[in-house]
Amino acid sequence: KEAAYLKLLEDLKNDPWGKAYKMFTKKKPMSYTLMEEDAEKIAQDLFPTHPSVSWVKQHCKDPPLFTLEELNAANEKTKTGKAPGPDGIPPEVTKAIISEHPEECLEIYNRCLIQQSFPACWKVAELLLLPKGSTGRFRPICLLDCFGKVLERLLSSRIEAEISLSDRQFGFRKNKSTTD
């Protein structure tokens, strides 16, 4: 495995659009067929439309820029072995890009912070419907781009550091459960 992995890395260095690129960007096969109208109904049930919300931007002091340490910590939390999002870039490649070019990536994330924006392309999800046995029901999985997930982690760590939750707050907390 290690020899094959090293050969793949060498091929990637020699030809960035060759075998490695094709392997990482190939389409995922559909494991079942679903009628288009059924898929649309399932998607509408899962994601109902709501009236848009108009957010008022508050003028407050600019937050401190993200640091390389924060970026490295967020990058370390990227789980490997997971399916790529709509951009087709697997988490392993995202981690490698951020590790090899941290300053450039940090500049992009800091630009998002300064502009108070989350790029629209990182908000797009690829919806996979996994069948739940033969019940005719589906478990939805939304695949997101890994670069957007890293920005989410950067923002989340900042928010968690700023807020203090009650000891009685169990939902949406690490190592706690609402059943507790």
Side-chain angles (χ1 to χ4, degrees), residues 40-59:
E40 285 180 19
K41 181 177 179 342
I42 291 169
Q44 287 172 353
D45 290 344
L46 289 170
F47 306 102
T49 56
H50 299 287
S52 8
V53 176
S54 179
W55 296 97
V56 178
K57 286 190 177 183
Q58 298 286 332
H59 292 290

Side-chain angles (χ1 to χ4, degrees), residues 1-154:
K1 279 184 175 180
E2 187 173 337
Y5 176 71
L6 293 173
K7 181 172 178 0
L8 183 67
L9 289 178
E10 188 62 35
D11 291 344
L12 184 61
K13 285 180 186 174
N14 296 333
D15 182 12
W17 307 111
K19 182 180 176 183
Y21 174 80
K22 290 175 186 165
M23 184 174 82
F24 287 124
T25 59
K26 70 180 177 184
K27 290 284 185 186
K28 295 166 278 309
M30 285 290 275
S31 58
Y32 56 91
T33 56
L34 188 62
M35 299 298 291
E36 187 174 338
E37 56 271 3
D38 293 335
E40 285 180 19
K41 181 177 179 342
I42 291 169
Q44 287 172 353
D45 290 344
L46 289 170
F47 306 102
T49 56
H50 299 287
S52 8
V53 176
S54 179
W55 296 97
V56 178
K57 286 190 177 183
Q58 298 286 332
H59 292 290
C60 54
K61 67 178 187 173
D62 291 332
L65 297 177
F66 295 123
T67 64
L68 280 173
E69 292 77 24
E70 288 176 298
L71 179 60
N72 290 333
N75 194 31
E76 285 301 312
K77 290 181 182 176
T78 300
K79 295 179 181 175
T80 58
K82 301 292 183 181
D87 63 1
I89 301 173
E92 294 83 359
V93 175
T94 303
K95 279 184 94 161
I97 290 171
I98 293 173
S99 295
E100 292 293 320
H101 303 282
E103 292 83 13
E104 292 88 348
C105 294
L106 186 63
E107 183 180 333
I108 292 168
Y109 290 124
N110 278 327
R111 193 172 304 146
C112 293
L113 183 66
I114 291 166
Q115 295 174 353
Q116 298 179 7
S117 67
F118 198 101
C121 61
W122 290 346
K123 294 179 185 178
V124 175
E126 184 175 339
L127 175 64
L128 293 181
L129 298 173
L130 302 178
K132 288 184 169 182
S134 59
T135 62
R137 299 182 69 199
F138 295 88
R139 177 175 176 247
I141 295 179
C142 292
L143 302 176
L144 298 167
D145 292 341
C146 293
F147 286 105
K149 289 180 181 181
V150 172
L151 179 56
E152 285 178 11
R153 279 188 212 96
L154 287 166

